[in-house]
Amino acid sequence: MEIAHFFNLSLLSFFILLALKFTINKLSSPRKLPPSPPARPIIGHLHLLRQPVHRSLHELSLKYGEILFLRYGSRKVLLVSSISAAEECFTKHDLVFANRPQSLAGKHLNYNSTTMGFSSYGDHWRNLRRLTTVELFSTSRLGMLSGIRTEEVWLLLKQLFGDCLINGTTRVDMTSQLTELVFNIVMRTIAGKRYYGMEANNEEAREFQNIIRDMESLRGSSNLSDYFAVLRWVDYGGVEERMKALMKKMDRFLQDLVEEHRRKKSVSPSTKQEKCLTLIDVMLSLKETEPGFYTDETIKGVIQTTLTAGTQTSVATMEWAMSLLLNNPEALQKAFDEIKVVIGQNRLLDEQDLPKLNFLQNIINETFRLFPPAPLLLPHESSEDSTVSGFFVPKGTMLLVNTWSMNRDPKQWEAPEHFFPERFHDAEGTGYKLLPFGAGRRACPGAGLAKRVIGLTLGLLIQCFEWERVSKVKIDMTEGTGLTMPRARRLEAVCRLRNDMIKVLSTL
């Protein structure tokens, strides 16, 4: 009896000490979560989200704070609308937040989350990053392919020049023209073929573009199955079936591109010239030495990522830039005056001239600020517990950085709603105040290409033509929905040939 009594007392003492230790550790550890708005059972804060999501999250930040802890169903979310907190996440905690959350879009639209944008941090992602950084977006590679970009923009100028010669002025569907331009540039870089214009397959191009648009729409929509696992059992809303059907079409296009280059390579392997290699050719050559990594699925994933990320963001930025200039003709005139002084009117500006055009760079930066290519950066996920701005962030938390909100912070930007390119002081660096392409190791590797395409296109359109709105009414600046925040309505403008540029344009 005494032994049993002693054993019971010892066991009781052990549990008391264990409970005390747990309580002390809990009280002494910094586990203070960020502020959180009132939530509802099961759904958490999903009822507070409205389209466009970045605006509704901005309103939450104004009311509850720049760093918030939310719940999307069963998923923990850290919402950051603070420049200092974003910098901390992408520097001090960059590795912690290097993962991507699992999603239906990653699984069904991105080869089971193996593409660069949706792959979690690890060897596979590092190999993809190295491939795109060295073979597609390096300074030398971009320089090597500058002729493609110049040729495509010149073809657009030639078309507008012809229309203006015939009609005096011409009404331009800017949305279509810019989309076709960028798509051709990216497709020639990837596969060496044009999809729009002379000797191009416009029907195939339209089908391809429709698939990309539908995929972007499904990626950007809020899939409730990502936040409630039980809904995946019943395929809520038929989302999974639509994704599978769409990806089947996309995969067929991509596989055809790969097979086309494989056939050409087998027929004339000795004629390839390194300087003319497309991205597909490069990957097929690398496949010979690293077949385990460069599978067809990996190759198709790289093509898909480059196409979707490379076209939508550049097109949207140029549309917003032209919209802002049409609504602010004094800035448009100032941009032309700079080009006239720096470049003159005896030749067309080229990519080498872009660093000299400070005001043009200011316009692009101001467009990035007001209409960022990704108003909510692609979500990250924490791989371990961390502390951000003094708040505890548990492992497995999805990080959302609202750059749209940060870009309109009156503490950081004077008159933040006003279009004022001069605020950038000759395109000086802005650090973490402006993150159009993200930051840290998961930043977009295609930033250099996008800036070249945007700068060259806008610069030449301004140098060669006068631009006006189609009516006296200002351009509607309503935002559409999607990851890249497109315009809600198509952009049209009226252009008139600058007489001093006729001689130069006649040589195209």
Side-chain angles (χ1 to χ4, degrees):
M1 287 291 292
E2 290 181 1
I3 295 176
H5 181 65
F6 175 77
F7 177 78
N8 289 336
L9 285 175
S10 299
L11 193 62
L12 179 62
S13 300
F14 171 77
F15 282 114
I16 291 174
L17 289 172
L18 190 64
L20 285 172
K21 185 176 185 299
F22 176 79
T23 303
I24 292 171
N25 287 341
K26 187 174 181 180
L27 291 173
S28 62
S29 62
R31 301 179 72 87
K32 179 185 177 184
L33 291 170
S36 185
R40 290 184 178 175
I42 302 176
I43 66 172
H45 298 97
L46 286 173
H47 67 290
L48 299 175
L49 303 185
R50 301 286 185 276
Q51 290 289 353
V53 175
H54 59 269
R55 284 184 177 268
S56 59
L57 293 177
H58 173 67
E59 294 300 322
L60 288 178
S61 297
L62 291 177
K63 186 174 182 179
Y64 296 101
E66 295 178 330
I67 304 173
L68 297 178
F69 189 77
L70 306 175
R71 285 192 178 275
Y72 289 4
S74 60
R75 180 162 284 175
K76 304 181 290 291
V77 178
L78 176 68
L79 174 64
V80 168
S81 306
S82 155
I83 293 172
S84 61
E87 181 175 3
E88 183 179 350
C89 290
F90 295 138
T91 52
K92 181 180 178 181
H93 302 301
D94 187 35
L95 182 58
V96 173
F97 286 108
N99 278 341
R100 295 289 193 213
Q102 295 296 305
S103 65
L104 283 181
K107 179 180 180 181
H108 296 302
L109 300 180
N110 289 271
Y111 293 104
N112 201 24
S113 299
T114 59
T115 61
M116 191 168 67
F118 284 78
S119 175
S120 280
Y121 185 73
D123 290 340
H124 179 76
W125 177 84
R126 281 191 290 269
N127 287 331
L128 290 175
R129 180 75 178 198
R130 184 176 65 251
L131 166 68
T132 53
T133 301
V134 174
E135 301 295 349
L136 184 59
F137 300 126
S138 66
T139 302
S140 60
R141 185 71 176 176
L142 290 176
M144 186 187 304
L145 299 173
S146 63
I148 290 176
R149 299 188 290 275
T150 299
E151 184 179 339
E152 288 299 328
V153 180
W154 282 9
L155 288 171
L156 172 59
L157 298 181
K158 186 176 181 179
Q159 177 186 332
L160 295 177
F161 174 58
D163 292 342
C164 287
L165 282 180
I166 295 172
N167 304 311
T169 61
T170 185
R171 185 164 174 163
V172 183
D173 183 340
M174 299 300 295
T175 299
S176 293
Q177 293 287 4
L178 294 174
T179 299
E180 293 175 10
L181 166 70
V182 177
F183 195 74
N184 273 344
I185 290 174
V186 177
M187 280 303 303
R188 287 185 65 183
T189 301
I190 293 172
K193 60 190 297 185
R194 304 183 75 234
Y195 268 76
Y196 291 100
M198 295 179 62
E199 300 179 1
N201 190 336
N202 286 8
E203 183 178 346
E204 184 180 355
R206 280 190 291 272
E207 185 178 355
F208 209 165
Q209 278 288 331
N210 288 337
I211 292 173
I212 292 175
R213 186 189 63 245
D214 292 343
M215 291 183 75
E216 286 298 297
S217 177
L218 281 174
R219 281 197 191 101
S221 61
S222 296
N223 297 314
L224 293 180
S225 298
D226 289 337
Y227 313 127
F228 303 98
V230 66
L231 295 180
R232 297 189 183 186
W233 299 349
V234 295
D235 189 14
Y236 179 78
V239 173
E240 283 195 87
E241 284 305 313
R242 280 187 288 153
M243 285 184 172
K244 290 177 182 178
L246 198 57
M247 191 59 193
K248 188 175 181 179
K249 294 179 181 179
M250 171 61 84
D251 184 72
R252 177 172 54 82
F253 269 103
L254 300 178
Q255 189 66 49
D256 287 346
L257 285 176
V258 173
E259 293 300 336
E260 180 182 337
H261 281 256
R262 186 174 278 136
R263 286 194 298 271
K264 290 179 180 178
K265 184 178 176 67
S266 64
V267 171
S268 54
S270 60
T271 63
K272 73 175 185 180
Q273 305 231 347
E274 189 175 351
K275 290 187 177 181
C276 298
L277 286 178
T278 66
L279 179 62
I280 296 178
D281 291 321
V282 169
M283 288 190 288
L284 287 177
S285 295
L286 292 171
K287 182 182 178 71
E288 295 175 2
T289 55
E290 296 182 69
F293 175 70
Y294 290 99
T295 63
D296 278 11
E297 191 167 284
T298 298
I299 293 172
K300 289 183 289 186
V302 172
I303 299 171
Q304 178 188 322
T305 300
T306 307
L307 267 175
T308 54
T311 57
Q312 304 300 318
T313 53
S314 296
V315 171
T317 298
M318 288 192 286
E319 279 192 276
W320 286 120
M322 287 299 296
S323 302
L324 289 165
L325 291 173
L326 290 167
N327 281 345
N328 297 273
E330 69 286 348
L332 181 56
Q333 182 62 43
K334 187 173 180 178
F336 171 70
D337 291 341
E338 178 186 58
I339 293 171
K340 187 175 180 180
V341 170
V342 176
I343 309 300
Q345 294 178 287
N346 295 320
R347 68 176 179 88
L348 297 175
L349 68 85
D350 57 35
E351 289 185 4
Q352 302 301 316
D353 299 315
L354 296 179
K356 310 171 194 173
L357 301 172
N358 294 325
F359 190 66
L360 177 63
Q361 298 301 325
N362 292 349
I363 289 170
I364 296 171
N365 279 332
E366 183 71 338
T367 304
F368 283 148
R369 186 186 70 82
L370 287 169
F371 300 98
L376 286 173
L377 298 182
L378 281 177
H380 296 237
E381 186 175 271
S382 59
S383 57
E384 59 185 59
D385 293 348
S386 61
T387 303
V388 176
S389 297
F391 294 111
F392 173 70
V393 180
K395 175 182 177 180
T397 298
M398 182 168 71
L399 169 66
L400 292 179
V401 177
N402 193 343
T403 60
W404 188 93
S405 185
M406 290 159 53
N407 294 349
R408 283 169 166 73
D409 185 351
K411 298 191 296 294
Q412 301 290 339
W413 307 95
E414 183 179 353
E417 300 294 332
H418 181 59
F419 175 68
F420 186 61
E422 291 84 353
R423 75 174 76 242
F424 286 97
H425 305 296
D426 297 329
E428 290 179 356
T430 56
Y432 283 83
K433 285 183 68 176
L434 195 66
L435 302 176
F437 301 99
R441 68 192 67 209
R442 296 304 295 244
C444 175
L449 174 61
K451 290 177 180 178
R452 283 170 169 80
V453 171
I454 293 167
L456 181 66
T457 305
L458 290 178
L460 285 170
L461 290 177
I462 294 169
Q463 182 186 25
C464 298
F465 304 97
E466 298 175 15
W467 294 91
E468 297 176 353
R469 300 189 295 266
V470 296
S471 70
K472 293 182 179 180
V473 179
K474 283 201 168 188
I475 302 293
D476 186 346
M477 304 299 279
T478 303
E479 304 154 9
T481 58
L483 291 175
T484 56
M485 197 173 72
R487 286 177 44 81
R489 295 172 178 80
R490 301 182 72 82
L491 176 64
E492 291 187 320
V494 174
C495 82
R496 181 182 297 105
L497 182 63
R498 296 190 188 275
N499 290 331
D500 291 338
M501 296 300 296
I502 292 177
K503 183 178 180 181
V504 175
L505 289 172
S506 297
T507 63
L508 293 180

